[in-house]
Amino acid sequence: MSLFARDRTASGRPVRHQPAELLRTVEDLHDAVAHFGAPGGNAVVMTMGALHEGHASLVRAARERVGDKGFVVVTVFVNPLQFGAGEDLDRYPRTLDADLEVAFDAGASAVFAPSVDEVYPGGEPQVRIAAGPMGELLEGASRPGHFDGMLTVVAKLLHLTAPDLAFFGQKDAQQLALIRRMARDLNFPVEIVGVPTVRETDGLALSSRNRYLSADERRTALALSGALFAARDRLAAQEALRARAAALPGTQNRAEALSRLGEARAAADAHAVAQAAEGCGAEAVRAAARTVLDDASRAEPPLVLDYLALVDPADFTEVADDHDGEAILAVAARVGATRLIDNIPLLLGATMSTMFGATQ
């Protein structure tokens, strides 16, 4: 049964009706976009359902950008192409009734929740998007083929929803980078918008998979965000030390500044001064995170680390120890049967480069 009225005027043109809350077919989706879309004001938020506050923040961001007259469609589709052998496709939560409430409370105009047959008529597509070298790193290495399947469905949904803007969470940082690269490389006429990670009060990044964690597993899982925050705090302390060095009167370069600061500080600060003098911000960041993760590996239940990586956001390759500029610290681990990911953006070396010049 169609969710859109098909009444016709005498001229044969369709009568304009308000969109239904739930769209199940591509035909209904096209009707919704054609009838209620606003030029320059169409947005999409793509999800696999089990919506939570993180998804709601994406919908609110989309609504804010397009305004009251804009059209915001939320897609709810558990994409089988991005699940590998032994992954949790069958146990992935499906909570459509609750998803509708979250989506519409946050400002969605419509929810597109198609069946697998509707998205892939005739079976799995023979032609797919290849993620390329970036898709083989980190999450791609742990989950071969995952990003090819993800990009294929994102490309298809971008065609079907025809948005001006598409909103994705920064929690899935590698996914966001690949979608941006695909849109740029393949000339998709859409702006890809990243929205900051939403966290629970204890710091755990919101995820549909958090519901799988027992109370004990959740306590262990807090090491993911704990490791990221420890690294961020180490970097901030290091940059604060460098800033103090730069503020010393008569200082001409960072080596002299840090040497003078080291002489002026108590012996307990000597190691921190040495670290800053060596310019090892990246390694200090990694070390701070590893300390937290190592402790969690000895917890009960233990955290089993998949990867910890400090990467360039442009291509997700590891940054060098002397890297100056933007970086992403990313972590993935298992606690019990649940695999979780998290990341945090960092800015390395900016303080000293600004104060003394990049060539000193």
Side-chain angles (χ1 to χ4, degrees):
M1 178 179 176
S2 172
L3 296 175
F4 280 81
R6 300 273 188 254
D7 298 338
R8 301 278 171 174
T9 64
S11 64
R13 299 184 63 183
V15 176
R16 183 179 177 89
H17 292 281
Q18 290 299 311
E21 292 187 345
L22 177 62
L23 313 176
R24 286 291 200 175
T25 69
V26 170
E27 182 182 12
D28 284 334
L29 175 64
H30 286 165
D31 278 354
V33 174
H35 297 169
F36 307 105
N42 296 325
V44 65
V45 175
M46 298 184 192
T47 82
M48 293 206 301
L51 302 191
H52 49 63
E53 177 56 26
H55 299 107
S57 73
L58 300 178
V59 180
R60 287 194 295 269
R63 174 55 64 197
E64 182 176 356
R65 278 291 301 272
V66 302
D68 292 341
K69 295 182 179 179
F71 186 76
V72 178
V73 59
V74 174
T75 68
V76 175
F77 179 64
V78 182
N79 177 34
L81 298 191
Q82 63 196 74
F83 287 80
E87 293 191 331
D88 57 354
L89 173 60
D90 291 335
R91 89 187 260 253
Y92 196 87
R94 291 161 172 82
T95 58
L96 183 57
D97 288 343
D99 294 344
L100 293 173
E101 184 174 353
V102 172
F104 287 103
D105 283 350
S109 305
V111 171
F112 178 50
S115 66
V116 173
D117 289 340
E118 187 71 21
V119 176
Y120 301 121
E124 291 189 1
Q126 295 185 32
V127 177
R128 307 187 187 195
I129 300 291
M134 196 195 315
E136 298 174 358
L137 304 173
L138 302 185
E139 285 298 292
S142 297
R143 305 176 65 189
H146 166 72
F147 285 127
D148 292 354
M150 178 275 295
L151 290 177
T152 297
V153 80
V154 168
K156 187 153 194 171
L157 289 171
L158 286 174
H159 287 308
L160 293 175
T161 58
D164 302 292
L165 307 115
F167 291 76
F168 298 90
Q170 292 177 357
K171 184 177 91 62
D172 297 297
Q174 191 174 4
Q175 169 180 284
L176 175 59
L178 281 163
I179 292 170
R180 281 177 166 152
R181 187 61 186 254
M182 178 184 73
R184 182 170 67 249
D185 287 354
L186 301 184
N187 298 104
F188 278 79
V190 60
E191 178 185 346
I192 306 300
V193 182
V195 178
T197 300
V198 177
R199 299 184 180 278
E200 302 196 39
T201 55
D202 58 8
L204 190 66
L206 282 174
S207 170
S208 302
R209 292 186 169 95
N210 289 354
R211 67 187 67 196
Y212 300 151
L213 298 169
S214 69
D216 289 340
E217 289 171 343
R218 185 185 176 89
R219 280 191 289 273
T220 297
L222 290 175
L224 273 77
S225 56
L228 300 179
F229 298 157
R232 176 198 61 193
D233 293 346
R234 171 72 67 83
L235 179 63
Q238 188 176 56
E239 291 303 321
L241 180 62
R242 292 179 176 183
R244 287 184 61 193
L248 291 175
T251 299
Q252 299 301 314
N253 58 59
R254 71 179 71 186
E256 177 188 346
L258 291 165
S259 175
R260 291 180 59 190
L261 182 59
E263 293 172 1
R265 291 175 65 90
D269 291 330
H271 179 62
V273 173
Q275 279 191 318
E278 292 167 6
C280 57
E283 187 50 39
V285 163
R286 295 184 183 101
R290 285 193 200 103
T291 297
V292 176
L293 296 170
D294 286 347
D295 286 345
S297 71
R298 296 184 288 272
E300 185 55 45
L303 179 143
V304 180
L305 183 65
D306 188 345
Y307 62 75
L308 172 71
L310 185 63
V311 300
D312 187 326
D315 58 13
F316 270 68
T317 58
E318 283 278 353
V319 302
D321 288 347
D322 60 353
H323 177 76
D324 278 358
E326 295 180 353
I328 291 175
L329 184 63
V331 61
R334 288 188 181 276
V335 182
T338 303
R339 186 176 185 276
L340 300 170
I341 63 172
D342 202 350
N343 71 85
I344 192 170
L346 298 172
L347 186 61
L348 278 66
T351 301
M352 293 301 279
S353 296
T354 300
M355 291 178 176
F356 295 119
T359 59
Q360 291 185 319

